[in-house]
Amino acid sequence: MEYFMVSAQKVPPLQHFRKTEKEVIGGLCSLANIPLTPETARDQERRIRREIANSNERRRMQSINAGFQSLKTLIPHSDGEKLSKAAILQQTAEYIFTLEQEKTRLLQQNSQLKRIIQELSGSSPKRRRAEEKDEGIGSPDILEEEKTEDLRREMIELRQQLEKERTVRMMLEDQMRSLDAQLYPEKLKAIAQQVQEQQVQTQSLVRLQKQLERDLTPAHSPQVLAPATPPAPTHHATVIVPAPAQTPQPHHVTVVTMGPTSVINSVSTSRQNLDTIVQAIQHIEGTQGKGFEEEQRRAVIVSSGRILSDAAGSDTASNSDGPDDCSLP
DNA sequence: GAGACGGCGCGTATATTCGG
DNA sequence: CCGAATATACGCGCCGTCTC
């Protein structure tokens, strides 16, 4: 590198010295009062060649040293630390080895994250095509496009579900209002107000709504409503964990709340559902401030409180102590 | 084929470090 | 402080390749 650059602009060629050598040698010999014999001239020529060779050797060594200094600046070391050439070579080798390992680790992490994203968001044909084209790092444009498209699709889906849920909820609220007005007129205001405060809904409410629909069938007559405590505000810490990769519904969000079990026994199913809805709404309102980004995680939101288990019971992926296939390293 | 040239190995001198 | 060990720079000769 640098060595070759230096070599390109070498000292003048030997011809140049040869041209002037007679003059120089003659001058020196006359000064030293030495007769200019052929042997002297030959010795002088040899001497000059040796000088040139020595000069070239010095440049070579300087080039080597420059290379060592370049290496030294690349490897991690403290300023002022003295490193011999051997140490520089050894530490460089170690550093390269470390970088190789880091690269391998990052590549593995990259592929793992890709796999998780794919499992969580489903695998569209376009995505599969992109992944088939690109198995390694890269193609950020395609992935970004896919991501945007997925998000758009998810937004539309969420809006549709929200509209559906709103319609059903309004109907149910009418029913509940008429029933509660007979039994708990004082609670009605608070509950209705809380429900009205809900402006943005997530997908999880659809499940709650379905649960409520099932529980409010004639078998669960509202007349059996018993006095209940007002819905306790759920200001519990929220833990968001990645949904397992095996989740059959990748976009599904499950809201699980836990509460004191002492309350449960004294309330009816409908009342429980009502409380749960309110808690879920409050919970969602509380967590939505964290941004849409978190919704995208298809997370299972776990908070302390009462469990509103899914009727199917298959989406209990919120067990944080369960097999965590998606745990990042 | 002779000479020029680059590269390398080896020996030596000098500087620096380290342990007793 | 001193001697041994180590690191570094330099000089020298040799060898392979290239050019004329």
Side-chain angles (χ1 to χ4, degrees), chain A residues 210-275:
Chain A
K210 288 176 181 174
Q211 169 81 16
L212 186 57
E213 280 182 278
R214 280 193 295 270
D215 290 345
L216 285 182
T217 52
H220 301 281
S221 172
Q223 277 78 10
V224 298
L225 278 174
T229 57
T234 56
H235 297 300
H236 310 294
T238 299
V239 179
I240 299 180
V241 297
Q246 294 81 6
T247 306
Q249 297 165 308
H251 292 271
H252 181 68
V253 177
T254 302
V255 176
V256 182
T257 56
M258 310 271 292
T261 54
S262 58
V263 185
I264 301 176
N265 296 334
S266 60
V267 296
S268 69
T269 307
S270 296
R271 194 70 205 174
Q272 290 175 32
N273 290 329
L274 184 58
D275 292 346

Side-chain angles (χ1 to χ4, degrees), chain A residues 165 169 173 176 180 187-198 201 205 208-209 212 229-234 255 257 270-286 306 308:
Chain A
E165 188 276 337
R169 195 184 68 222
E173 279 174 9
M176 293 296 294
D180 280 354
K187 303 291 180 191
L188 179 61
K189 280 187 180 178
I191 295 172
Q193 185 182 357
Q194 284 172 336
V195 171
Q196 287 170 357
E197 283 173 357
Q198 178 192 3
Q201 275 291 343
L205 286 177
L208 296 175
Q209 198 62 53
L212 186 57
T229 57
T234 56
V255 176
T257 56
S270 296
R271 194 70 205 174
Q272 290 175 32
N273 290 329
L274 184 58
D275 292 346
T276 306
I277 285 178
V278 173
Q279 288 182 8
I281 290 168
Q282 289 173 339
H283 186 86
I284 289 165
E285 285 172 346
R306 184 179 30 184
L308 175 69

Side-chain angles (χ1 to χ4, degrees), chain A residues 42-144:
Chain A
R42 221 174 295 127
D43 286 348
Q44 287 299 326
E45 183 182 340
R46 214 168 17 235
R47 184 75 215 150
I48 291 172
R49 289 185 192 280
R50 192 62 255 170
E51 271 306 314
I52 294 171
N54 292 345
S55 175
N56 289 338
E57 175 66 13
R58 275 193 295 273
R59 271 198 301 274
R60 190 179 73 88
M61 289 304 299
Q62 287 169 3
S63 167
I64 292 173
N65 289 336
F68 276 107
Q69 288 308 310
S70 297
L71 281 181
K72 189 180 174 183
T73 60
L74 293 177
I75 60 177
H77 71 285
S78 57
D79 282 343
E81 180 186 2
K82 283 195 173 182
L83 287 175
S84 68
K85 294 176 182 176
I88 290 173
L89 286 181
Q90 288 162 1
Q91 292 192 16
T92 300
E94 286 176 15
Y95 188 50
I96 290 174
F97 180 70
T98 305
L99 291 178
E100 294 268 7
Q101 283 186 319
E102 179 73 3
K103 178 188 168 189
T104 305
R105 190 184 67 79
L106 290 174
L107 281 175
Q108 288 175 348
Q109 189 176 351
N110 185 30
S111 58
Q112 190 179 5
L113 289 173
K114 275 183 179 176
R115 198 168 57 245
I116 290 173
I117 290 173
Q118 179 183 353
E119 288 169 351
L120 290 179
S121 61
S123 184
S124 68
K126 192 174 179 183
R127 176 184 299 274
R128 275 195 298 272
R129 255 183 280 122
E131 287 172 353
E132 283 167 5
K133 273 173 60 180
D134 178 27
E135 282 294 328
I137 322 172
S139 258
D141 292 342
I142 295 177
L143 288 177
E144 197 65 29

Side-chain angles (χ1 to χ4, degrees), chain A residues 305-321:
Chain A
R306 184 179 30 184
I307 294 180
L308 175 69
S309 62
D310 190 25
S314 59
D315 282 332
T316 55
S318 57
N319 291 336
S320 58
D321 55 350

